[in-house]
Each structure stands twice: as structure tokens, then as C-alpha cells.
Amino acid sequence: MRIGVTSVFVDDQAKAEGFYIDTLGFVLKDKVPLGAYDWVTVVSPADVNGTQLLLEPDQHPAAKAYKTALYAEGIPVMSLAVDDVEEEHRRLEILGVRFQQPPTVMGPVVTAVLDDTCGNLLQLVAPVKP
């Protein structure tokens, strides 16, 4: 058993698609029209057949409440593994990404928390360099 698709609730699929692809560097896997919304998934360019991230509309009231509560408490909805948090932080800041937490050592890892522009906080994480 393995994870095939996981999702993140977004307030605007087109904006999310742009951010996750153009800014974070994911690649589009699937985009299928489904009425008012699309089935939009992105994947890591390092593993195009790996786990897909569904950019899911947050139209359900429970989804909106969930996102709002996590965001207000500063809780990221997911962690994204990177090779070097400091380097990724610099790259993303140049692109205008807003960080709620700069690179911070937390035990054996370095983390940083960014705003995905679609109502979520995302955590970057990498092992502390020896």
C-alpha cells in the first residue's frame, strides 16, 4: 500500500495551479474539467509517477473552517521535503513568497513556513546539515 493522491484545499484552483507550478516548481500531472471545478493534480519533477497533490476546491463549509482554524493557529497543512531549507527560502523570497517562519533549526531538522496564497501554510523541512 502507498499514498497515490493526497489533497490540499485551495480557495482558487487557477491561482493555486500557478503557485504550485510556477513558484514551488511542481509539474502538472492531471487537469480534468468536472463541472464548476477541475481535478487538478501536481507532482514533484523528481518523481512524476509519485504521489499526486490534488488542488481541491475549499467550497465545503467544513473545508473552509478547517483551513481558517489551522491558518489562524499558524499550523501548516503539510510538510514539503527539500534538500536545503535556507536555499529554498532564498529562492522563494526572491519570487515574492511570504514566510511566516524563517529557516529555524528544530532538533534534527531545519524548517520554514510559507503562505501558499490560497489559504494555507506549508512547511519546508530538511535535515540539519552536518
Side-chain angles (χ1 to χ4, degrees):
M1 187 179 302
R2 60 186 167 78
I3 298 170
V5 178
T6 190
S7 63
V8 60
F9 291 112
V10 298
D11 56 19
D12 181 320
Q13 281 187 304
K15 181 170 64 170
E17 187 178 338
F19 182 81
Y20 282 78
I21 292 171
D22 299 334
T23 304
L24 294 184
F26 289 95
V27 294
L28 184 65
K29 180 71 172 185
D30 290 311
K31 185 169 185 174
V32 180
L34 297 173
Y37 303 101
D38 296 330
W39 174 270
V40 180
T41 62
V42 297
V43 293
S44 167
D47 189 8
V48 295
N49 294 311
T51 304
Q52 296 178 53
L53 178 62
L54 172 63
L55 305 178
E56 187 160 4
D58 69 357
Q59 300 309 301
H60 191 283
K64 288 187 183 292
Y66 167 78
K67 280 179 51 186
T68 301
L70 289 180
Y71 195 96
E73 293 292 323
I75 300 171
V77 298
M78 77 175 91
S79 290
L80 301 172
V82 297
D83 293 330
D84 185 320
V85 171
E86 290 89 353
E87 180 180 309
E88 211 42 43
H89 176 262
R90 282 189 296 276
R91 181 185 79 79
L92 293 171
E93 272 199 322
I94 289 169
L95 294 174
V97 173
R98 290 181 332 152
F99 279 82
Q100 293 221 348
Q101 175 205 304
T104 304
V105 174
M106 295 190 170
V109 297
V110 178
T111 67
V113 177
L114 62 97
D115 185 318
D116 79 348
T117 74
C118 301
N120 301 292
L121 297 176
L122 308 177
Q123 181 179 60
L124 303 178
V125 63
V128 171
K129 294 178 189 172

